[in-house]
Amino acid sequence: QSALTQPASVSGSPGQSITISCTGTSSDVGGYNYVSWYQQHPGKAPKLMIYEVSNRPSGVPDRFSGSKSGNTASLTISGLQAEDEADYYCSSYTSSSTPYVFGTGTKVTVL
Amino acid sequence: EVQLVESGGGLVKPGGSLRLSCAASGFTFSSYSMNWVRQAPGKGLEWVSSISSSSSYIYYADSVKGRFTISRDNAKNSLYLQMNSLRAEDTAVYYCARVEDFYFDYWGQGTLVTVSS
């Protein structure tokens, strides 16, 4: 099972919006609405930000939103803030012999 | 409050073994599938293994199949990962994570495994 493809880095100024893509196949991202997104600050454990494509857990700001089209899922951060600078990973359930796959990760920089 | 606390990491020589533990609290452990996810230094997240709530279903990444064994003790609210025939490429922070439906909703703080001579 190959990792889902994400851009290595995305940057934006405070207040701007950025979008991170996550591209898979019909066996994972495209086949199920089980895409999730995780934020990871340096030296910290990942934190769930979005589940089932577009749902936000309690406590996650509504600046974070998710969507999916075909084999590509996206995470959008609106009104970018300094504390949003972190690594972001997508994940999907898969129909392969291994049930989960992560994306390659995207470093978000707030300029 | 859900808490997951990993332990058992450390320095081990190539070919050696190590057993990781994850102590769970704050939720009904026996009702959830649990997973191990690792992250090599400076690299991304890699799913390692999954075990269903009653241990009926177990899965492994191809990279660890035949060398790692996941298990759980619901009476002790604990998750384990027995790692044998360790290689340099197994060096990573190992996280235990709870699965809700098909996403990882809670993570431990991680335990570092270093495989080096």
Side-chain angles (χ1 to χ4, degrees), chain A residues 38 48 91 100 102, chain B residues 35 47 97-99 103-107:
Chain A
Y38 304 87
L48 176 68
S91 178
Y100 301 102
F102 282 97
Chain B
N35 288 246
W47 173 82
R98 189 182 86 167
V99 165
Y103 53 92
F104 307 93
D105 60 348
Y106 287 95
W107 298 65

Side-chain angles (χ1 to χ4, degrees), chain B residues 40-77:
Chain B
K43 303 297 184 182
L45 301 174
E46 179 188 14
W47 173 82
V48 172
S49 184
S50 176
I51 186 168
S52 62
S53 57
S54 61
S55 304
S56 297
Y57 300 96
I58 289 175
Y59 305 93
Y60 298 99
D62 290 343
S63 57
V64 307
K65 199 172 294 182
R67 300 187 299 121
F68 289 13
T69 301
I70 191 172
S71 63
R72 64 190 297 162
D73 185 336
N74 288 342
K76 294 183 178 179
N77 291 341

Side-chain angles (χ1 to χ4, degrees), chain A residues 19-107:
Chain A
T19 297
I20 303 168
S21 61
C22 169
T23 301
T25 70
S26 58
S27 296
D28 38 64
V29 174
Y32 307 92
N33 287 326
Y34 294 134
V35 176
S36 49
W37 289 90
Y38 304 87
Q39 177 192 64
Q40 186 180 35
H41 287 108
K44 301 294 187 182
K47 174 188 175 184
L48 176 68
M49 302 302 283
I50 296 287
Y51 66 96
E52 293 172 355
V53 176
S54 59
N55 295 308
R56 273 189 319 277
S58 174
V60 172
D62 59 5
R63 321 186 270 104
F64 292 86
S65 62
S67 62
K68 191 185 84 167
S69 178
N71 295 336
T72 298
S74 298
L75 173 71
T76 297
I77 309 175
S78 305
L80 198 61
Q81 298 185 6
E83 59 260 37
D84 300 332
E85 185 162 291
D87 294 325
Y88 291 82
Y89 296 90
C90 61
S91 178
S92 176
Y93 174 78
T94 89
S95 60
S96 72
S97 58
T98 56
Y100 301 102
V101 61
F102 282 97
T104 51
T106 299
K107 181 176 181 59

